[in-house]
Amino acid sequence: MCGRFVITSAPAALRQLFGYVEQPNFPPRYNVAPTQPIPVVLVENGARHFRLMRWGLLPGWVKDPKGFTLLINARSETVLEKPAFKRAIRRRRGLIPADGYYEWKAVDGRKQPFFIHRADGAPLGFAAVFETWAGPNGEELDTVAIVTAAAGEDLAALHDRVPVTISPRDFERWLDVRGDEVDAILPLMIAPRIGEFAWHPVSTRVNRVANDDEQLLLPISAEEMEAELEASKPKRVARKAAAASSDDGQGSLF
């Protein structure tokens, strides 16, 4: 899956790569999370445009969004049939500019975060589907989900799902929604080639959405990983002790 990502390339460079009309200026983001507004590239009236949408798709048929599960990812294997996505995949496809994403893997009994990026350092274009939800009082909300696929042999070492990334040569094909046919895009909804991505462990500071700085991307050593583990132990012990003594046992883009 993809639950956090990074967008650090210069706005002008992203505009040149994705070819949208607008030139928005925005600061780098190192810890983008669900429910936040994120950039989406789409085609309107024959031209590519830059739009902000809430990360977490909300289908148009939802009556009460408060009781609806947040859909941050759409599985490529079922996106054509799932009620939440089957219309969007045919008529509302977009690209999300990014420079990498985070994934967590169980290491020594805890979740260790890793930063994943293209091996050549180039920006990414996540495959996305979006919907505009209209509320009973006339309010509208543009929402989006990232398409995911089964991980390839290398990235499967971290997680069994990966975001689908679209190559710049295929941007036009993915964004072309002039017809309802999807045969042309089916070959695009696959995992990256083996060796296309690289990754390294990073600090557990990324676990907190409030932390959003370039230090999050720095690789950490095995010794630093161990130090973070040791630092977290007293807190975990204290929480367990508190639970045992209680009666019921009982986280804008721009």
mmCIF file of all heavy atoms in Angstrom, residues 111-160:
data_model
loop_
_atom_site.group_PDB
_atom_site.id
_atom_site.type_symbol
_atom_site.label_atom_id
_atom_site.label_comp_id
_atom_site.label_asym_id
_atom_site.label_seq_id
_atom_site.Cartn_x
_atom_site.Cartn_y
_atom_site.Cartn_z
ATOM 1 N N LYS A 111 7.740 -1.776 14.071
ATOM 2 C CA LYS A 111 7.610 -1.343 12.681
ATOM 3 C C LYS A 111 8.721 -0.361 12.333
ATOM 4 O O LYS A 111 8.791 0.737 12.882
ATOM 5 C CB LYS A 111 6.245 -0.687 12.459
ATOM 6 C CG LYS A 111 5.074 -1.659 12.564
ATOM 7 C CD LYS A 111 5.044 -2.600 11.374
ATOM 8 C CE LYS A 111 3.777 -3.439 11.365
ATOM 9 N NZ LYS A 111 3.697 -4.322 10.188
ATOM 10 N N GLN A 112 9.605 -0.777 11.416
ATOM 11 C CA GLN A 112 10.710 0.070 10.984
ATOM 12 C C GLN A 112 10.340 0.754 9.671
ATOM 13 O O GLN A 112 10.023 0.100 8.691
ATOM 14 C CB GLN A 112 11.977 -0.763 10.789
ATOM 15 C CG GLN A 112 13.131 0.000 10.145
ATOM 16 C CD GLN A 112 13.592 1.160 11.010
ATOM 17 O OE1 GLN A 112 13.763 1.018 12.213
ATOM 18 N NE2 GLN A 112 13.774 2.328 10.392
ATOM 19 N N PRO A 113 10.367 2.095 9.619
ATOM 20 C CA PRO A 113 10.051 2.786 8.368
ATOM 21 C C PRO A 113 11.221 2.780 7.384
ATOM 22 O O PRO A 113 12.388 2.840 7.793
ATOM 23 C CB PRO A 113 9.728 4.213 8.827
ATOM 24 C CG PRO A 113 10.500 4.381 10.094
ATOM 25 C CD PRO A 113 10.548 3.031 10.744
ATOM 26 N N PHE A 114 10.884 2.689 6.102
ATOM 27 C CA PHE A 114 11.860 2.767 5.021
ATOM 28 C C PHE A 114 11.406 3.837 4.028
ATOM 29 O O PHE A 114 10.208 3.984 3.773
ATOM 30 C CB PHE A 114 11.979 1.432 4.283
ATOM 31 C CG PHE A 114 12.647 0.345 5.079
ATOM 32 C CD1 PHE A 114 11.953 -0.361 6.049
ATOM 33 C CD2 PHE A 114 13.986 0.032 4.858
ATOM 34 C CE1 PHE A 114 12.557 -1.366 6.781
ATOM 35 C CE2 PHE A 114 14.600 -0.969 5.594
ATOM 36 C CZ PHE A 114 13.890 -1.669 6.562
ATOM 37 N N PHE A 115 12.374 4.550 3.463
ATOM 38 C CA PHE A 115 12.083 5.498 2.392
ATOM 39 C C PHE A 115 12.395 4.825 1.066
ATOM 40 O O PHE A 115 13.491 4.287 0.867
ATOM 41 C CB PHE A 115 12.910 6.774 2.541
ATOM 42 C CG PHE A 115 12.710 7.743 1.412
ATOM 43 C CD1 PHE A 115 11.443 8.235 1.117
ATOM 44 C CD2 PHE A 115 13.781 8.168 0.637
ATOM 45 C CE1 PHE A 115 11.250 9.130 0.064
ATOM 46 C CE2 PHE A 115 13.608 9.063 -0.406
ATOM 47 C CZ PHE A 115 12.338 9.547 -0.692
ATOM 48 N N ILE A 116 11.429 4.835 0.155
ATOM 49 C CA ILE A 116 11.533 4.148 -1.134
ATOM 50 C C ILE A 116 11.492 5.190 -2.243
ATOM 51 O O ILE A 116 10.614 6.067 -2.248
ATOM 52 C CB ILE A 116 10.384 3.134 -1.297
ATOM 53 C CG1 ILE A 116 10.363 2.175 -0.099
ATOM 54 C CG2 ILE A 116 10.514 2.363 -2.599
ATOM 55 C CD1 ILE A 116 9.101 1.334 -0.034
ATOM 56 N N HIS A 117 12.397 5.071 -3.195
ATOM 57 C CA HIS A 117 12.506 6.076 -4.257
ATOM 58 C C HIS A 117 13.075 5.427 -5.512
ATOM 59 O O HIS A 117 13.630 4.316 -5.452
ATOM 60 C CB HIS A 117 13.414 7.221 -3.803
ATOM 61 C CG HIS A 117 14.789 6.759 -3.394
ATOM 62 N ND1 HIS A 117 15.854 6.728 -4.266
ATOM 63 C CD2 HIS A 117 15.257 6.278 -2.205
ATOM 64 C CE1 HIS A 117 16.917 6.251 -3.644
ATOM 65 N NE2 HIS A 117 16.581 5.970 -2.390
ATOM 66 N N ARG A 118 12.943 6.105 -6.630
ATOM 67 C CA ARG A 118 13.559 5.595 -7.854
ATOM 68 C C ARG A 118 15.074 5.540 -7.677
ATOM 69 O O ARG A 118 15.677 6.440 -7.100
ATOM 70 C CB ARG A 118 13.193 6.480 -9.047
ATOM 71 C CG ARG A 118 11.817 6.224 -9.623
ATOM 72 C CD ARG A 118 11.625 7.027 -10.913
ATOM 73 N NE ARG A 118 12.660 6.737 -11.891
ATOM 74 C CZ ARG A 118 12.563 5.801 -12.848
ATOM 75 N NH1 ARG A 118 11.466 5.072 -12.947
ATOM 76 N NH2 ARG A 118 13.553 5.604 -13.695
ATOM 77 N N ALA A 119 15.681 4.510 -8.188
ATOM 78 C CA ALA A 119 17.125 4.351 -8.053
ATOM 79 C C ALA A 119 17.889 5.477 -8.738
ATOM 80 O O ALA A 119 18.986 5.834 -8.304
ATOM 81 C CB ALA A 119 17.560 2.996 -8.612
ATOM 82 N N ASP A 120 17.295 6.055 -9.798
ATOM 83 C CA ASP A 120 17.967 7.144 -10.511
ATOM 84 C C ASP A 120 17.626 8.518 -9.938
ATOM 85 O O ASP A 120 18.091 9.541 -10.440
ATOM 86 C CB ASP A 120 17.646 7.104 -12.007
ATOM 87 C CG ASP A 120 16.158 7.250 -12.304
ATOM 88 O OD1 ASP A 120 15.377 7.547 -11.368
ATOM 89 O OD2 ASP A 120 15.767 7.056 -13.473
ATOM 90 N N GLY A 121 16.789 8.560 -8.888
ATOM 91 C CA GLY A 121 16.454 9.821 -8.239
ATOM 92 C C GLY A 121 15.409 10.654 -8.944
ATOM 93 O O GLY A 121 15.098 11.764 -8.492
ATOM 94 N N ALA A 122 14.832 10.150 -10.025
ATOM 95 C CA ALA A 122 13.842 10.915 -10.781
ATOM 96 C C ALA A 122 12.510 10.978 -10.039
ATOM 97 O O ALA A 122 12.191 10.094 -9.242
ATOM 98 C CB ALA A 122 13.638 10.286 -12.157
ATOM 99 N N PRO A 123 11.704 12.013 -10.294
ATOM 100 C CA PRO A 123 10.370 12.098 -9.678
ATOM 101 C C PRO A 123 9.467 10.970 -10.177
ATOM 102 O O PRO A 123 9.743 10.320 -11.195
ATOM 103 C CB PRO A 123 9.841 13.462 -10.150
ATOM 104 C CG PRO A 123 11.052 14.231 -10.553
ATOM 105 C CD PRO A 123 12.014 13.205 -11.089
ATOM 106 N N LEU A 124 8.369 10.761 -9.457
ATOM 107 C CA LEU A 124 7.417 9.708 -9.775
ATOM 108 C C LEU A 124 6.084 10.303 -10.198
ATOM 109 O O LEU A 124 5.756 11.438 -9.855
ATOM 110 C CB LEU A 124 7.155 8.828 -8.541
ATOM 111 C CG LEU A 124 8.346 8.337 -7.735
ATOM 112 C CD1 LEU A 124 7.850 7.672 -6.461
ATOM 113 C CD2 LEU A 124 9.171 7.375 -8.559
ATOM 114 N N GLY A 125 5.308 9.497 -10.895
ATOM 115 C CA GLY A 125 3.924 9.837 -11.182
ATOM 116 C C GLY A 125 3.053 8.693 -10.713
ATOM 117 O O GLY A 125 2.931 7.678 -11.406
ATOM 118 N N PHE A 126 2.470 8.807 -9.520
ATOM 119 C CA PHE A 126 1.584 7.746 -9.026
ATOM 120 C C PHE A 126 0.303 7.716 -9.847
ATOM 121 O O PHE A 126 -0.311 8.762 -10.101
ATOM 122 C CB PHE A 126 1.204 7.979 -7.556
ATOM 123 C CG PHE A 126 2.324 7.808 -6.579
ATOM 124 C CD1 PHE A 126 2.394 8.619 -5.455
ATOM 125 C CD2 PHE A 126 3.295 6.846 -6.739
ATOM 126 C CE1 PHE A 126 3.408 8.475 -4.521
ATOM 127 C CE2 PHE A 126 4.313 6.678 -5.818
ATOM 128 C CZ PHE A 126 4.375 7.507 -4.706
ATOM 129 N N ALA A 127 -0.131 6.522 -10.242
ATOM 130 C CA ALA A 127 -1.426 6.368 -10.891
ATOM 131 C C ALA A 127 -2.514 6.641 -9.866
ATOM 132 O O ALA A 127 -2.459 6.143 -8.740
ATOM 133 C CB ALA A 127 -1.569 4.964 -11.463
ATOM 134 N N ALA A 128 -3.529 7.417 -10.244
ATOM 135 C CA ALA A 128 -4.576 7.788 -9.298
ATOM 136 C C ALA A 128 -5.940 7.818 -9.976
ATOM 137 O O ALA A 128 -6.048 7.968 -11.199
ATOM 138 C CB ALA A 128 -4.277 9.163 -8.695
ATOM 139 N N VAL A 129 -6.965 7.657 -9.158
ATOM 140 C CA VAL A 129 -8.351 7.835 -9.606
ATOM 141 C C VAL A 129 -8.994 8.825 -8.649
ATOM 142 O O VAL A 129 -8.665 8.867 -7.458
ATOM 143 C CB VAL A 129 -9.134 6.508 -9.623
ATOM 144 C CG1 VAL A 129 -8.593 5.582 -10.703
ATOM 145 C CG2 VAL A 129 -9.082 5.804 -8.263
ATOM 146 N N PHE A 130 -9.910 9.640 -9.161
ATOM 147 C CA PHE A 130 -10.502 10.671 -8.311
ATOM 148 C C PHE A 130 -11.998 10.789 -8.544
ATOM 149 O O PHE A 130 -12.542 10.336 -9.550
ATOM 150 C CB PHE A 130 -9.809 12.023 -8.531
ATOM 151 C CG PHE A 130 -9.891 12.562 -9.937
ATOM 152 C CD1 PHE A 130 -10.950 13.377 -10.324
ATOM 153 C CD2 PHE A 130 -8.908 12.271 -10.874
ATOM 154 C CE1 PHE A 130 -11.030 13.886 -11.617
ATOM 155 C CE2 PHE A 130 -8.971 12.776 -12.164
ATOM 156 C CZ PHE A 130 -10.032 13.589 -12.539
ATOM 157 N N GLU A 131 -12.651 11.389 -7.560
ATOM 158 C CA GLU A 131 -14.096 11.629 -7.606
ATOM 159 C C GLU A 131 -14.393 12.975 -6.950
ATOM 160 O O GLU A 131 -13.673 13.397 -6.038
ATOM 161 C CB GLU A 131 -14.875 10.544 -6.857
ATOM 162 C CG GLU A 131 -14.975 9.207 -7.568
ATOM 163 C CD GLU A 131 -16.047 9.201 -8.652
ATOM 164 O OE1 GLU A 131 -16.605 10.285 -8.953
ATOM 165 O OE2 GLU A 131 -16.306 8.110 -9.196
ATOM 166 N N THR A 132 -15.464 13.626 -7.409
ATOM 167 C CA THR A 132 -15.956 14.826 -6.751
ATOM 168 C C THR A 132 -17.228 14.469 -6.007
ATOM 169 O O THR A 132 -18.220 14.063 -6.613
ATOM 170 C CB THR A 132 -16.231 15.954 -7.762
ATOM 171 O OG1 THR A 132 -15.020 16.307 -8.420
ATOM 172 C CG2 THR A 132 -16.793 17.185 -7.051
ATOM 173 N N TRP A 133 -17.159 14.595 -4.688
ATOM 174 C CA TRP A 133 -18.321 14.280 -3.859
ATOM 175 C C TRP A 133 -19.143 15.538 -3.643
ATOM 176 O O TRP A 133 -18.608 16.603 -3.319
ATOM 177 C CB TRP A 133 -17.873 13.720 -2.515
ATOM 178 C CG TRP A 133 -19.008 13.397 -1.590
ATOM 179 C CD1 TRP A 133 -19.798 12.288 -1.606
ATOM 180 C CD2 TRP A 133 -19.477 14.207 -0.507
ATOM 181 N NE1 TRP A 133 -20.735 12.350 -0.597
ATOM 182 C CE2 TRP A 133 -20.562 13.515 0.083
ATOM 183 C CE3 TRP A 133 -19.095 15.452 0.012
ATOM 184 C CZ2 TRP A 133 -21.264 14.033 1.178
ATOM 185 C CZ3 TRP A 133 -19.785 15.964 1.098
ATOM 186 C CH2 TRP A 133 -20.851 15.259 1.666
ATOM 187 N N ALA A 134 -20.443 15.448 -3.861
ATOM 188 C CA ALA A 134 -21.355 16.575 -3.651
ATOM 189 C C ALA A 134 -22.233 16.300 -2.445
ATOM 190 O O ALA A 134 -22.920 15.270 -2.387
ATOM 191 C CB ALA A 134 -22.218 16.800 -4.896
ATOM 192 N N GLY A 135 -22.232 17.212 -1.493
ATOM 193 C CA GLY A 135 -23.005 17.047 -0.282
ATOM 194 C C GLY A 135 -24.429 17.560 -0.412
ATOM 195 O O GLY A 135 -24.787 18.219 -1.399
ATOM 196 N N PRO A 136 -25.250 17.299 0.576
ATOM 197 C CA PRO A 136 -26.663 17.686 0.532
ATOM 198 C C PRO A 136 -26.888 19.192 0.532
ATOM 199 O O PRO A 136 -27.946 19.671 0.119
ATOM 200 C CB PRO A 136 -27.250 17.034 1.791
ATOM 201 C CG PRO A 136 -26.075 16.877 2.717
ATOM 202 C CD PRO A 136 -24.924 16.577 1.818
ATOM 203 N N ASN A 137 -25.913 19.953 0.983
ATOM 204 C CA ASN A 137 -26.045 21.410 1.033
ATOM 205 C C ASN A 137 -25.320 22.104 -0.117
ATOM 206 O O ASN A 137 -25.081 23.313 -0.075
ATOM 207 C CB ASN A 137 -25.510 21.936 2.372
ATOM 208 C CG ASN A 137 -26.266 21.378 3.554
ATOM 209 O OD1 ASN A 137 -27.495 21.287 3.528
ATOM 210 N ND2 ASN A 137 -25.543 20.989 4.595
ATOM 211 N N GLY A 138 -24.969 21.314 -1.154
ATOM 212 C CA GLY A 138 -24.311 21.883 -2.326
ATOM 213 C C GLY A 138 -22.803 21.951 -2.235
ATOM 214 O O GLY A 138 -22.137 22.375 -3.188
ATOM 215 N N GLU A 139 -22.224 21.509 -1.130
ATOM 216 C CA GLU A 139 -20.770 21.536 -1.007
ATOM 217 C C GLU A 139 -20.152 20.450 -1.890
ATOM 218 O O GLU A 139 -20.770 19.417 -2.136
ATOM 219 C CB GLU A 139 -20.335 21.331 0.448
ATOM 220 C CG GLU A 139 -20.641 19.960 1.043
ATOM 221 C CD GLU A 139 -22.008 19.834 1.681
ATOM 222 O OE1 GLU A 139 -22.937 20.530 1.215
ATOM 223 O OE2 GLU A 139 -22.152 19.043 2.621
ATOM 224 N N GLU A 140 -18.945 20.717 -2.374
ATOM 225 C CA GLU A 140 -18.237 19.749 -3.215
ATOM 226 C C GLU A 140 -16.836 19.511 -2.668
ATOM 227 O O GLU A 140 -16.206 20.422 -2.130
ATOM 228 C CB GLU A 140 -18.146 20.238 -4.664
ATOM 229 C CG GLU A 140 -19.485 20.259 -5.380
ATOM 230 C CD GLU A 140 -19.337 20.553 -6.865
ATOM 231 O OE1 GLU A 140 -18.244 21.034 -7.265
ATOM 232 O OE2 GLU A 140 -20.292 20.306 -7.620
ATOM 233 N N LEU A 141 -16.372 18.268 -2.806
ATOM 234 C CA LEU A 141 -15.047 17.894 -2.320
ATOM 235 C C LEU A 141 -14.381 16.978 -3.337
ATOM 236 O O LEU A 141 -14.907 15.910 -3.652
ATOM 237 C CB LEU A 141 -15.169 17.177 -0.967
ATOM 238 C CG LEU A 141 -13.870 16.718 -0.305
ATOM 239 C CD1 LEU A 141 -13.003 17.930 0.067
ATOM 240 C CD2 LEU A 141 -14.161 15.883 0.935
ATOM 241 N N ASP A 142 -13.244 17.411 -3.875
ATOM 242 C CA ASP A 142 -12.472 16.575 -4.797
ATOM 243 C C ASP A 142 -11.591 15.638 -3.985
ATOM 244 O O ASP A 142 -10.822 16.082 -3.125
ATOM 245 C CB ASP A 142 -11.598 17.442 -5.705
ATOM 246 C CG ASP A 142 -12.420 18.285 -6.670
ATOM 247 O OD1 ASP A 142 -13.502 17.829 -7.078
ATOM 248 O OD2 ASP A 142 -11.984 19.409 -6.998
ATOM 249 N N THR A 143 -11.706 14.333 -4.260
ATOM 250 C CA THR A 143 -10.987 13.328 -3.486
ATOM 251 C C THR A 143 -10.266 12.363 -4.412
ATOM 252 O O THR A 143 -10.678 12.159 -5.553
ATOM 253 C CB THR A 143 -11.957 12.551 -2.575
ATOM 254 O OG1 THR A 143 -12.879 11.800 -3.389
ATOM 255 C CG2 THR A 143 -12.750 13.495 -1.675
ATOM 256 N N VAL A 144 -9.213 11.739 -3.910
ATOM 257 C CA VAL A 144 -8.361 10.923 -4.786
ATOM 258 C C VAL A 144 -7.794 9.728 -4.028
ATOM 259 O O VAL A 144 -7.618 9.773 -2.808
ATOM 260 C CB VAL A 144 -7.219 11.788 -5.362
ATOM 261 C CG1 VAL A 144 -6.285 12.284 -4.262
ATOM 262 C CG2 VAL A 144 -6.443 11.057 -6.442
ATOM 263 N N ALA A 145 -7.510 8.644 -4.772
ATOM 264 C CA ALA A 145 -6.864 7.448 -4.226
ATOM 265 C C ALA A 145 -5.724 7.040 -5.151
ATOM 266 O O ALA A 145 -5.782 7.255 -6.369
ATOM 267 C CB ALA A 145 -7.864 6.305 -4.093
ATOM 268 N N ILE A 146 -4.692 6.436 -4.573
ATOM 269 C CA ILE A 146 -3.541 5.951 -5.335
ATOM 270 C C ILE A 146 -3.771 4.493 -5.703
ATOM 271 O O ILE A 146 -4.146 3.679 -4.860
ATOM 272 C CB ILE A 146 -2.248 6.085 -4.511
ATOM 273 C CG1 ILE A 146 -1.944 7.570 -4.252
ATOM 274 C CG2 ILE A 146 -1.066 5.424 -5.227
ATOM 275 C CD1 ILE A 146 -0.787 7.791 -3.300
ATOM 276 N N VAL A 147 -3.547 4.155 -6.965
ATOM 277 C CA VAL A 147 -3.703 2.777 -7.435
ATOM 278 C C VAL A 147 -2.474 1.973 -7.000
ATOM 279 O O VAL A 147 -1.334 2.430 -7.141
ATOM 280 C CB VAL A 147 -3.860 2.722 -8.965
ATOM 281 C CG1 VAL A 147 -4.015 1.276 -9.438
ATOM 282 C CG2 VAL A 147 -5.073 3.552 -9.395
ATOM 283 N N THR A 148 -2.712 0.766 -6.487
ATOM 284 C CA THR A 148 -1.607 -0.095 -6.045
ATOM 285 C C THR A 148 -1.643 -1.437 -6.780
ATOM 286 O O THR A 148 -2.673 -1.839 -7.324
ATOM 287 C CB THR A 148 -1.661 -0.360 -4.533
ATOM 288 O OG1 THR A 148 -2.815 -1.161 -4.227
ATOM 289 C CG2 THR A 148 -1.702 0.940 -3.754
ATOM 290 N N ALA A 149 -0.505 -2.121 -6.779
ATOM 291 C CA ALA A 149 -0.379 -3.440 -7.411
ATOM 292 C C ALA A 149 0.404 -4.355 -6.481
ATOM 293 O O ALA A 149 1.030 -3.900 -5.509
ATOM 294 C CB ALA A 149 0.336 -3.321 -8.755
ATOM 295 N N ALA A 150 0.380 -5.654 -6.791
ATOM 296 C CA ALA A 150 1.191 -6.608 -6.030
ATOM 297 C C ALA A 150 2.661 -6.274 -6.242
ATOM 298 O O ALA A 150 3.099 -5.987 -7.363
ATOM 299 C CB ALA A 150 0.890 -8.031 -6.480
ATOM 300 N N ALA A 151 3.444 -6.307 -5.173
ATOM 301 C CA ALA A 151 4.859 -5.946 -5.253
ATOM 302 C C ALA A 151 5.647 -6.957 -6.059
ATOM 303 O O ALA A 151 5.324 -8.148 -6.093
ATOM 304 C CB ALA A 151 5.446 -5.830 -3.852
ATOM 305 N N GLY A 152 6.701 -6.484 -6.713
ATOM 306 C CA GLY A 152 7.620 -7.363 -7.407
ATOM 307 C C GLY A 152 8.516 -8.066 -6.405
ATOM 308 O O GLY A 152 8.439 -7.832 -5.191
ATOM 309 N N GLU A 153 9.389 -8.899 -6.920
ATOM 310 C CA GLU A 153 10.218 -9.740 -6.052
ATOM 311 C C GLU A 153 11.086 -8.934 -5.106
ATOM 312 O O GLU A 153 11.296 -9.340 -3.955
ATOM 313 C CB GLU A 153 11.098 -10.647 -6.916
ATOM 314 C CG GLU A 153 11.937 -11.630 -6.123
ATOM 315 C CD GLU A 153 12.764 -12.532 -7.017
ATOM 316 O OE1 GLU A 153 12.482 -12.590 -8.238
ATOM 317 O OE2 GLU A 153 13.689 -13.182 -6.508
ATOM 318 N N ASP A 154 11.587 -7.774 -5.531
ATOM 319 C CA ASP A 154 12.487 -7.018 -4.662
ATOM 320 C C ASP A 154 11.733 -6.212 -3.607
ATOM 321 O O ASP A 154 11.979 -6.337 -2.408
ATOM 322 C CB ASP A 154 13.416 -6.112 -5.474
ATOM 323 C CG ASP A 154 12.674 -5.207 -6.450
ATOM 324 O OD1 ASP A 154 11.443 -5.372 -6.624
ATOM 325 O OD2 ASP A 154 13.313 -4.305 -7.039
ATOM 326 N N LEU A 155 10.750 -5.427 -4.019
ATOM 327 C CA LEU A 155 10.016 -4.597 -3.075
ATOM 328 C C LEU A 155 9.126 -5.406 -2.140
ATOM 329 O O LEU A 155 8.719 -4.920 -1.086
ATOM 330 C CB LEU A 155 9.182 -3.566 -3.837
ATOM 331 C CG LEU A 155 9.981 -2.394 -4.424
ATOM 332 C CD1 LEU A 155 9.130 -1.602 -5.404
ATOM 333 C CD2 LEU A 155 10.502 -1.496 -3.326
ATOM 334 N N ALA A 156 8.836 -6.657 -2.509
ATOM 335 C CA ALA A 156 8.032 -7.513 -1.638
ATOM 336 C C ALA A 156 8.739 -7.777 -0.309
ATOM 337 O O ALA A 156 8.101 -8.192 0.659
ATOM 338 C CB ALA A 156 7.719 -8.833 -2.338
ATOM 339 N N ALA A 157 10.048 -7.531 -0.257
ATOM 340 C CA ALA A 157 10.777 -7.692 1.000
ATOM 341 C C ALA A 157 10.307 -6.683 2.049
ATOM 342 O O ALA A 157 10.485 -6.902 3.248
ATOM 343 C CB ALA A 157 12.278 -7.525 0.763
ATOM 344 N N LEU A 158 9.695 -5.574 1.590
ATOM 345 C CA LEU A 158 9.194 -4.555 2.505
ATOM 346 C C LEU A 158 7.688 -4.673 2.719
ATOM 347 O O LEU A 158 7.201 -4.553 3.838
ATOM 348 C CB LEU A 158 9.521 -3.160 1.973
ATOM 349 C CG LEU A 158 11.002 -2.806 1.821
ATOM 350 C CD1 LEU A 158 11.136 -1.384 1.300
ATOM 351 C CD2 LEU A 158 11.731 -2.959 3.140
ATOM 352 N N HIS A 159 6.946 -4.870 1.624
ATOM 353 C CA HIS A 159 5.486 -4.938 1.712
ATOM 354 C C HIS A 159 4.970 -5.648 0.471
ATOM 355 O O HIS A 159 5.615 -5.624 -0.580
ATOM 356 C CB HIS A 159 4.893 -3.527 1.806
ATOM 357 C CG HIS A 159 3.488 -3.491 2.317
ATOM 358 N ND1 HIS A 159 2.396 -3.707 1.507
ATOM 359 C CD2 HIS A 159 3.000 -3.269 3.558
ATOM 360 C CE1 HIS A 159 1.288 -3.611 2.225
ATOM 361 N NE2 HIS A 159 1.628 -3.347 3.475
ATOM 362 N N ASP A 160 3.797 -6.273 0.599
ATOM 363 C CA ASP A 160 3.267 -7.024 -0.541
ATOM 364 C C ASP A 160 2.535 -6.158 -1.557
ATOM 365 O O ASP A 160 2.129 -6.646 -2.608
ATOM 366 C CB ASP A 160 2.342 -8.153 -0.061
ATOM 367 C CG ASP A 160 1.135 -7.636 0.710
ATOM 368 O OD1 ASP A 160 1.082 -6.424 1.007
ATOM 369 O OD2 ASP A 160 0.233 -8.448 1.013
#
